[in-house]
Amino acid sequence: MAETLTASLEEISVELKPAKANPKPGKLFIGGEFVDALSEKTFETRNPATGAVITPIAEAGPEDVELAVRAARKAFEDGSEWRNMSPRDRGRLLWKLSELIRANAEELAELETLDTGKPIFESSRFDIPLAAECFEYYAGWPTKIAGETLANSAGGEALVYTLKEPVGVCGQIIPWNFPLQMLAWKAAPALACGNTIVMKPAEQTPLTALRFAELTLEAGLPAGVFNVVTGFGPKTGAALVANPGVDKIAFTGSVEVGKEIMRGAAGTLKRVSLELGGKSPNIIFADADLETAAKFALGGIFFNQGEMCTAGSRIFVEEAGYDQFMSVMRARAQKMVAGDPLHPKTRLGALISEEHLNRVLNYVTVGKEEGASVAIGGARIGTKGYFMKPTVLEGVTNEMRVAQEEIFGPVASVIKFMDMEEGVREANNSQFGLAAALWTRDIKKAHAIARRVKAGTVWINTISTTDNAVPFGGYKSSGFGRELGKSAIDLYSETKTVWVDLNQ
Ligand code: ADP
Ligand code: MG
């Protein structure tokens, strides 16, 4: 992660490879066709590495959202093609989608890097293959979704069983940090259960969702099963949340918008699942392998420029190991150099937008005002694109804003602690509870703390790993509902109970 780089910011190509950078520019994907927004309004998506416009994107209004929801409703209710498809064939379709993602992986990785500013190393090694793997994983599920036969004591003889049925039309609203991967986490299990989808990608990063829409045509997904409406949150996203034809909203994004979505969904009592932010503690005990812990701590906070909801952004270090840990951390962080995201050697890309960069930089100022010191970084790099130095704040205490608020950028807050009790107490002292990591060689201590930390995921002697088979989601303000694994099958299905009286 921290190897020296050869690509420099001066080398960033302003010109994009135009042939592949424009999947259906300016169109929505509704009912299996690429169509203009009824208003014909468009907006632009930009390359964060240069600030240059990539392509126009259609801005869906409530009337376009309505058309997409109707297409999804029709595809859902008209059972012949989709709902009554055999589990075997549905599984094959999901598998086909994974194959198509793999077959177009290079192009998808390039689109993702252009749109997000993340290194091509990451999009080609992680984002795209992991999205393909997610479809592979869920391709195995349609044939295994099953209800139960239940014992009952209601009196008399009865056969009681449950059926698992799709929820219906799912509105899925996703963020800009891992666009295709977030699409896969939501679309794959929803499709495996037989739902239909209206997907709303983030306005900053719509390109891979549009390219994926083309792939659904190639795979032979029936028209209307998967639709894409592009546009801004308060207009396009909110219209999807309010639309009475939508049965469920799945959202990944900020806490504030999560609350907004719950309010918006309340009027029609939609099912809601939310994956929100985090301020995940990474707790380093003095008895850990400190070299490895420091190396992983860097990945935990600087991967994807720190634009990760699971970022290990509060690094708690036990005093006895502090100096050793920090010397490794400092040396390695200093070697991380931002570069052209399209260069294969680059390991640190650009932040999503100028506005976001300024927000992240402002936290450095806030941290200093609160009494923290900048151990490494703390500044923008250059003036072209939205690059920032990997930043480590030292002398942070847990009640400071830089320890309590999600920064969503390459800024680590390092907090010293004295003993286990203090470490666990302070780690839990947060509105968030998405993930936590802890490093120790003491297995008893590790498991004991895993039980006490309030977080949806606890990593012991590792950080930031996820797997399609493993549930993922948050405690407290980090949201509710678990994605991935069997949990996501439950998120996207209703349970129906059937009673058969055997006495008559
Ligand atoms: P971030 O602050 O990281 O950009 P957001 O929570 O604002 O994250 O955005 C995540 C997703 O939610 C994006 O697709 C965005 O367009 C959408 N969104 C933002 N505001 C709303 C809203 N009021 N209603 C529905 N969706 C929204
Ligand atoms: Mg963009």
Side-chain angles (χ1 to χ4, degrees):
M1 184 129 292
E3 68 187 77
T4 315
L5 305 167
T6 56
S8 84
L9 289 180
E10 313 315 311
E11 296 168 41
I12 294 174
S13 44
V14 183
E15 286 314 311
L16 307 167
K17 297 175 190 167
K20 299 244 162 146
N22 287 356
K24 302 294 173 199
K27 304 277 186 191
L28 308 170
F29 185 67
I30 297 178
E33 285 173 37
F34 285 94
V35 296
D36 292 319
L38 291 173
S39 67
E40 292 183 11
K41 270 197 193 162
T42 59
F43 63 100
E44 286 159 342
T45 185
R46 287 172 185 271
N47 176 358
T50 59
V53 172
I54 303 173
T55 188
I57 297 294
E59 187 185 331
E63 62 287 357
D64 302 297
V65 170
E66 174 65 24
L67 290 179
V69 172
R70 273 193 220 162
R73 174 60 57 195
K74 183 163 178 292
F76 184 72
E77 299 298 343
D78 165 21
S80 56
E81 276 201 87
W82 179 239
R83 262 176 94 182
N84 300 335
M85 179 182 275
S86 74
R88 177 200 59 205
D89 290 346
R90 186 172 293 144
R92 281 180 177 159
L93 251 177
L94 283 160
W95 190 269
K96 181 80 188 153
L97 285 169
S98 78
E99 284 180 334
L100 286 168
I101 292 174
R102 288 195 191 283
N104 295 279
E106 208 177 313
E107 180 197 346
L108 286 164
E110 205 170 283
L111 286 174
E112 206 76 302
T113 284
L114 286 175
D115 225 4
T116 59
K118 70 172 71 200
I120 192 83
F121 170 81
E122 290 184 14
S123 44
S124 60
R125 289 273 293 271
F126 299 97
D127 295 73
I128 308 306
L130 289 177
E133 273 177 35
C134 187
F135 280 95
E136 275 164 12
Y137 172 79
Y138 282 105
W141 265 106
T143 50
K144 286 145 199 105
I145 296 171
E148 295 173 296
T149 309
L150 299 144
N152 74 92
S153 309
E157 287 270 320
L159 166 66
V160 185
Y161 62 92
T162 58
L163 295 171
K164 287 293 215 182
E165 298 186 343
V167 176
V169 175
C170 300
Q172 304 187 318
I173 302 176
I174 54 173
W176 46 258
N177 58 343
F178 296 101
L180 191 67
Q181 214 186 326
M182 291 298 103
L183 178 149
W185 282 25
K186 292 198 168 25
L191 295 175
C193 295
N195 297 282
T196 60
I197 294 171
V198 179
M199 179 71 64
K200 213 297 276 172
E203 54 273 27
Q204 298 89 344
T205 57
L207 295 181
T208 46
L210 291 168
R211 183 69 184 102
F212 176 80
E214 284 185 304
L215 298 181
T216 66
L217 290 176
E218 214 176 317
L221 202 68
V225 170
F226 180 83
N227 307 273
V228 180
V229 289
T230 44
F232 297 91
K235 191 171 158 191
T236 316
L240 191 55
V241 174
N243 193 298
V246 175
D247 299 295
K248 177 190 163 68
I249 292 286
F251 170 75
T252 297
S254 61
V255 171
E256 285 321 308
V257 175
K259 290 178 183 171
E260 190 86 4
I261 282 175
M262 274 188 86
R263 280 190 288 269
T268 43
L269 279 177
K270 291 183 174 63
R271 282 93 187 95
V272 174
S273 54
L274 303 173
E275 199 265 273
L276 309 175
K279 192 76 192 178
S280 299
N282 180 11
I283 314 167
I284 322 286
F285 287 96
D287 67 359
D289 171 351
L290 293 172
E291 181 98 16
T292 307
K295 196 171 122 195
F296 276 71
L298 288 167
I301 181 65
F302 297 133
F303 188 80
N304 207 46
Q305 302 78 238
E307 296 170 325
M308 286 187 294
C309 46
T310 55
S313 50
R314 283 187 298 153
I315 305 180
F316 289 93
V317 191
E318 195 172 20
E319 190 178 37
Y322 190 85
D323 291 342
Q324 192 190 340
F325 175 86
M326 279 308 289
S327 76
V328 180
M329 177 97 185
R330 227 188 246 111
R332 283 183 166 265
Q334 247 141 14
K335 280 198 219 148
M336 296 188 73
V337 188
D340 178 355
L342 282 170
H343 194 289
K345 288 207 162 170
T346 295
R347 298 290 181 274
L348 193 67
L351 274 65
I352 192 72
S353 66
E354 184 153 32
E355 184 194 359
H356 186 57
L357 170 71
N358 289 333
R359 204 182 144 266
V360 175
L361 285 170
N362 183 53
Y363 271 108
V364 177
T365 312
V366 167
K368 283 196 272 197
E369 282 166 7
E370 288 178 309
S373 60
V374 177
I376 304 152
R380 183 177 185 168
I381 308 172
T383 51
K384 185 168 83 175
Y386 317 125
F387 295 87
M388 179 175 172
K389 290 184 181 164
T391 298
V392 178
L393 301 178
E394 263 189 290
V396 176
T397 55
N398 196 43
E399 65 286 349
M400 290 181 185
R401 282 182 61 196
V402 289
Q404 289 295 326
E405 296 175 19
E406 184 176 41
I407 298 176
F408 220 69
V411 181
S413 293
V414 182
I415 303 168
K416 219 184 258 189
F417 70 95
M418 299 305 292
D419 58 29
M420 178 172 130
E421 284 310 311
E422 186 192 346
V424 176
R425 187 182 66 237
E426 292 306 312
N428 279 334
N429 185 0
S430 166
Q431 67 157 316
F432 296 109
L434 190 59
L438 62 102
W439 297 80
T440 175
R441 286 190 169 100
D442 180 342
I443 192 167
K444 210 169 129 192
K445 182 159 84 180
H447 289 296
I449 296 172
R451 290 179 179 214
R452 289 176 60 190
V453 172
K454 295 192 178 94
T457 297
V458 179
W459 289 296
I460 298 174
N461 293 333
T462 186
I463 193 166
S464 290
T465 54
T466 59
D467 186 274
N468 292 308
V470 178
F472 179 88
Y475 280 38
K476 302 194 271 184
S477 293
S478 294
F480 47 82
R482 294 290 178 270
E483 298 193 288
L484 300 180
K486 183 174 189 297
S487 305
I489 298 296
D490 293 331
L491 273 188
Y492 288 102
S493 46
E494 293 278 13
T495 301
K496 178 181 282 173
T497 304
V498 182
W499 287 80
V500 186
D501 190 321
L502 298 178
N503 295 308
Q504 319 294 329

